[in-house]
Coordinates of all heavy atoms in Angstrom, one line a residue:
V22 N -22.7 -10.7 -35.7 CA -21.6 -10.8 -34.8 C -21.1 -9.5 -34.3 O -20.8 -9.3 -33.1 CB -20.5 -11.6 -35.5 CG1 -19.2 -11.5 -34.7 CG2 -20.9 -13.0 -35.8
D23 N -21.0 -8.5 -35.2 CA -20.6 -7.2 -34.9 C -21.5 -6.5 -33.9 O -21.0 -5.7 -33.1 CB -20.5 -6.3 -36.1 CG -19.2 -6.6 -37.0 OD1 -18.4 -7.3 -36.4 OD2 -19.2 -6.2 -38.1
A26 N -20.7 -8.5 -30.3 CA -19.3 -8.3 -29.8 C -19.0 -6.9 -29.5 O -19.6 -6.0 -30.2 CB -18.3 -8.9 -30.8
M27 N -18.2 -6.6 -28.6 CA -17.7 -5.3 -28.2 C -16.7 -4.8 -29.3 O -15.8 -5.6 -29.7 CB -17.1 -5.2 -26.9 CG -18.1 -5.3 -25.7 SD -17.3 -5.4 -24.1 CE -16.3 -3.9 -24.1
S28 N -16.8 -3.6 -29.7 CA -15.9 -3.1 -30.7 C -14.6 -2.6 -30.1 O -14.5 -2.6 -28.8 CB -16.5 -1.9 -31.4 OG -16.6 -0.8 -30.5
K29 N -13.6 -2.3 -30.9 CA -12.3 -1.8 -30.4 C -12.6 -0.5 -29.6 O -12.0 -0.3 -28.5 CB -11.4 -1.5 -31.5 CG -10.0 -1.1 -31.1 CD -9.1 -0.7 -32.2 CE -9.3 0.7 -32.7 NZ -8.2 1.2 -33.6
E30 N -13.4 0.4 -30.1 CA -13.7 1.6 -29.4 C -14.3 1.4 -28.0 O -14.1 2.1 -27.1 CB -14.6 2.5 -30.2 CG -13.9 3.1 -31.4 CD -13.7 2.2 -32.6 OE1 -14.3 1.1 -32.5 OE2 -13.0 2.5 -33.5
F32 N -13.8 -1.3 -26.1 CA -12.7 -1.7 -25.2 C -11.8 -0.5 -24.8 O -11.4 -0.5 -23.7 CB -11.9 -2.8 -25.9 CG -12.4 -4.2 -25.9 CD1 -12.9 -4.8 -27.0 CD2 -12.6 -4.8 -24.6 CE1 -13.4 -6.1 -26.9 CE2 -13.1 -6.1 -24.6 CZ -13.5 -6.7 -25.7
A748 N -18.4 -18.8 -32.3 CA -17.0 -18.8 -32.6 C -16.6 -17.4 -33.2 O -15.6 -16.8 -32.8 CB -16.7 -19.9 -33.6
K749 N -17.4 -16.9 -34.1 CA -17.1 -15.6 -34.7 C -17.3 -14.5 -33.7 O -16.5 -13.5 -33.8 CB -18.1 -15.4 -35.9 CG -17.7 -16.3 -37.1 CD -18.6 -15.8 -38.3 CE -18.1 -16.6 -39.6 NZ -18.9 -16.2 -40.8
Y750 N -18.2 -14.7 -32.8 CA -18.4 -13.6 -31.8 C -17.1 -13.6 -30.9 O -16.6 -12.5 -30.6 CB -19.6 -14.0 -30.9 CG -19.6 -13.4 -29.6 CD1 -19.9 -12.0 -29.4 CD2 -19.4 -14.2 -28.4 CE1 -19.9 -11.5 -28.1 CE2 -19.4 -13.6 -27.1 CZ -19.7 -12.3 -27.0 OH -19.7 -11.7 -25.8
K751 N -16.6 -14.7 -30.5 CA -15.4 -14.8 -29.6 C -14.2 -14.2 -30.4 O -13.4 -13.5 -29.8 CB -15.2 -16.2 -29.2 CG -16.1 -16.7 -28.1 CD -15.6 -18.1 -27.6 CE -16.5 -18.6 -26.4 NZ -16.1 -19.9 -26.0
H752 N -14.1 -14.6 -31.7 CA -13.0 -14.1 -32.5 C -13.0 -12.6 -32.7 O -12.0 -11.9 -32.5 CB -13.0 -14.8 -33.8 CG -12.0 -14.3 -34.8 ND1 -12.2 -13.4 -35.8 CD2 -10.6 -14.6 -34.9 CE1 -11.1 -13.1 -36.4 NE2 -10.2 -13.8 -35.9
T753 N -14.2 -12.1 -33.0 CA -14.3 -10.6 -33.2 C -14.0 -9.9 -31.9 O -13.3 -8.9 -31.9 CB -15.7 -10.3 -33.6 OG1 -16.1 -11.0 -34.8 CG2 -15.9 -8.8 -33.9
Q754 N -14.5 -10.4 -30.8 CA -14.2 -9.8 -29.5 C -12.8 -9.8 -29.2 O -12.2 -8.8 -28.7 CB -15.1 -10.5 -28.4 CG -15.1 -9.8 -27.1 CD -16.5 -9.4 -26.6 OE1 -17.3 -9.0 -27.4 NE2 -16.7 -9.7 -25.3
A755 N -12.1 -11.0 -29.4 CA -10.7 -11.1 -29.1 C -9.9 -10.2 -29.9 O -8.9 -9.5 -29.4 CB -10.3 -12.6 -29.3
V756 N -10.2 -10.1 -31.3 CA -9.4 -9.2 -32.1 C -9.5 -7.7 -31.7 O -8.6 -7.0 -31.6 CB -9.8 -9.4 -33.6 CG1 -9.3 -8.3 -34.5 CG2 -9.4 -10.7 -34.1
N757 N -10.8 -7.3 -31.4 CA -11.0 -6.0 -31.0 C -10.3 -5.6 -29.7 O -9.8 -4.5 -29.5 CB -12.5 -5.7 -30.9 CG -13.2 -5.7 -32.2 OD1 -12.6 -5.5 -33.2 ND2 -14.5 -5.9 -32.2
K758 N -10.3 -6.6 -28.8 CA -9.6 -6.4 -27.5 C -8.1 -6.3 -27.7 O -7.5 -5.4 -27.1 CB -9.9 -7.6 -26.6 CG -9.5 -7.4 -25.1 CD -10.0 -8.5 -24.3 CE -9.7 -8.2 -22.8 NZ -10.2 -9.3 -21.9
I759 N -7.5 -7.1 -28.6 CA -6.1 -7.0 -28.9 C -5.8 -5.6 -29.5 O -4.8 -5.0 -29.0 CB -5.7 -8.1 -29.8 CG1 -5.8 -9.5 -29.1 CG2 -4.2 -7.9 -30.3 CD1 -5.6 -10.7 -30.0
E760 N -6.5 -5.2 -30.5 CA -6.3 -3.9 -31.1 C -6.4 -2.8 -30.1 O -5.5 -1.9 -30.0 CB -7.3 -3.7 -32.2 CG -7.2 -4.6 -33.4 CD -6.1 -4.3 -34.3 OE1 -5.4 -3.2 -34.1 OE2 -5.9 -5.0 -35.3
A761 N -7.4 -2.8 -29.2 CA -7.6 -1.8 -28.2 C -6.4 -1.8 -27.2 O -5.9 -0.8 -26.8 CB -8.9 -2.0 -27.4
K762 N -6.0 -3.0 -26.8 CA -4.9 -3.2 -25.8 C -3.6 -2.5 -26.3 O -3.0 -1.7 -25.6 CB -4.6 -4.7 -25.5 CG -3.5 -4.9 -24.5 CD -3.2 -6.4 -24.3 CE -2.1 -6.8 -25.3 NZ -1.7 -8.2 -25.1
W763 N -3.3 -2.7 -27.6 CA -2.0 -2.2 -28.1 C -2.2 -0.7 -28.3 O -1.2 0.1 -28.2 CB -1.6 -2.9 -29.4 CG -1.1 -4.2 -29.1 CD1 -1.7 -5.4 -29.1 CD2 0.3 -4.5 -28.7 NE1 -0.9 -6.4 -28.7 CE2 0.4 -5.9 -28.5 CE3 1.4 -3.8 -28.5 CZ2 1.5 -6.6 -28.1 CZ3 2.6 -4.4 -28.1 CH2 2.6 -5.8 -27.9
E764 N -3.3 -0.2 -28.6 CA -3.5 1.2 -28.8 C -3.4 1.9 -27.4 O -2.8 3.0 -27.3 CB -4.9 1.5 -29.4 CG -5.1 3.0 -29.8 CD -6.3 3.3 -30.6 OE1 -6.6 2.4 -31.5 OE2 -6.9 4.3 -30.5
K794 N 1.9 -8.3 -31.4 CA 0.5 -8.0 -31.8 C 0.1 -9.0 -32.9 O -1.0 -9.6 -32.8 CB 0.4 -6.6 -32.2 CG -1.1 -6.2 -32.6 CD -1.1 -4.8 -33.1 CE -2.5 -4.4 -33.7 NZ -2.6 -3.1 -34.2
E795 N 0.9 -9.2 -33.9 CA 0.6 -10.1 -35.0 C 0.4 -11.5 -34.5 O -0.4 -12.2 -35.0 CB 1.6 -10.0 -36.1 CG 1.7 -8.7 -36.9 CD 2.5 -7.6 -36.3 OE1 2.8 -7.8 -35.0 OE2 2.8 -6.6 -36.9
E797 N -0.5 -12.4 -31.5 CA -1.8 -12.5 -30.8 C -3.0 -12.6 -31.7 O -3.9 -13.4 -31.5 CB -1.9 -11.3 -29.9 CG -1.0 -11.3 -28.7 CD -1.1 -10.1 -27.8 OE1 -2.1 -9.3 -28.0 OE2 -0.3 -9.9 -26.9
L798 N -2.9 -11.9 -32.8 CA -4.0 -11.9 -33.8 C -4.0 -13.3 -34.5 O -5.1 -13.8 -34.8 CB -3.9 -10.8 -34.8 CG -4.1 -9.3 -34.3 CD1 -3.7 -8.3 -35.3 CD2 -5.6 -9.2 -33.9
A799 N -2.8 -13.7 -34.8 CA -2.7 -15.1 -35.5 C -3.3 -16.1 -34.6 O -4.0 -17.1 -35.0 CB -1.3 -15.3 -35.8
R800 N -3.0 -16.0 -33.3 CA -3.5 -17.0 -32.3 C -5.1 -17.0 -32.3 O -5.7 -18.0 -32.2 CB -3.0 -16.7 -30.9 CG -3.0 -17.9 -30.0 CD -2.3 -17.6 -28.7 NE -0.8 -17.6 -28.9 CZ -0.1 -16.6 -28.7 NH1 -0.6 -15.4 -28.3 NH2 1.2 -16.6 -28.9
A801 N -5.6 -15.7 -32.3 CA -7.1 -15.6 -32.3 C -7.7 -16.2 -33.6 O -8.7 -16.9 -33.6 CB -7.5 -14.1 -32.2
D802 N -7.0 -16.0 -34.8 CA -7.5 -16.6 -36.0 C -7.4 -18.1 -36.0 O -8.3 -18.8 -36.5 CB -6.7 -16.1 -37.2 CG -6.9 -14.6 -37.5 OD1 -7.9 -14.1 -37.0 OD2 -6.0 -14.0 -38.1
Y803 N -6.4 -18.6 -35.4 CA -6.2 -20.1 -35.2 C -7.3 -20.7 -34.4 O -7.9 -21.7 -34.8 CB -4.8 -20.3 -34.6 CG -4.6 -21.8 -34.1 CD1 -4.5 -22.8 -35.1 CD2 -4.6 -22.1 -32.8 CE1 -4.3 -24.1 -34.6 CE2 -4.4 -23.4 -32.3 CZ -4.3 -24.4 -33.3 OH -4.1 -25.7 -32.9
K804 N -7.6 -20.0 -33.3 CA -8.7 -20.5 -32.4 C -10.0 -20.6 -33.2 O -10.8 -21.5 -33.0 CB -8.8 -19.7 -31.2 CG -7.7 -19.9 -30.2 CD -7.9 -19.0 -28.9 CE -6.8 -19.3 -27.9 NZ -7.0 -18.4 -26.7
L805 N -10.3 -19.5 -34.0 CA -11.6 -19.5 -34.8 C -11.6 -20.6 -35.8 O -12.6 -21.3 -35.9 CB -11.7 -18.1 -35.5 CG -12.9 -18.0 -36.5 CD1 -14.2 -18.1 -35.7 CD2 -12.8 -16.7 -37.3

Side-chain angles (χ1 to χ4, degrees):
V22 169
D23 284 344
M27 286 173 61
S28 69
K29 183 183 87 170
E30 287 78 11
F32 279 112
K749 287 188 175 182
Y750 159 74
K751 284 184 177 179
H752 174 260
T753 304
Q754 189 124 316
V756 169
N757 291 341
K758 192 172 184 178
I759 292 166
E760 295 283 356
K762 182 184 88 172
W763 285 93
E764 189 168 324
K794 180 181 173 183
E795 290 86 345
E797 288 180 10
L798 291 171
R800 198 172 291 114
D802 291 340
Y803 167 72
K804 285 181 179 179
L805 173 66

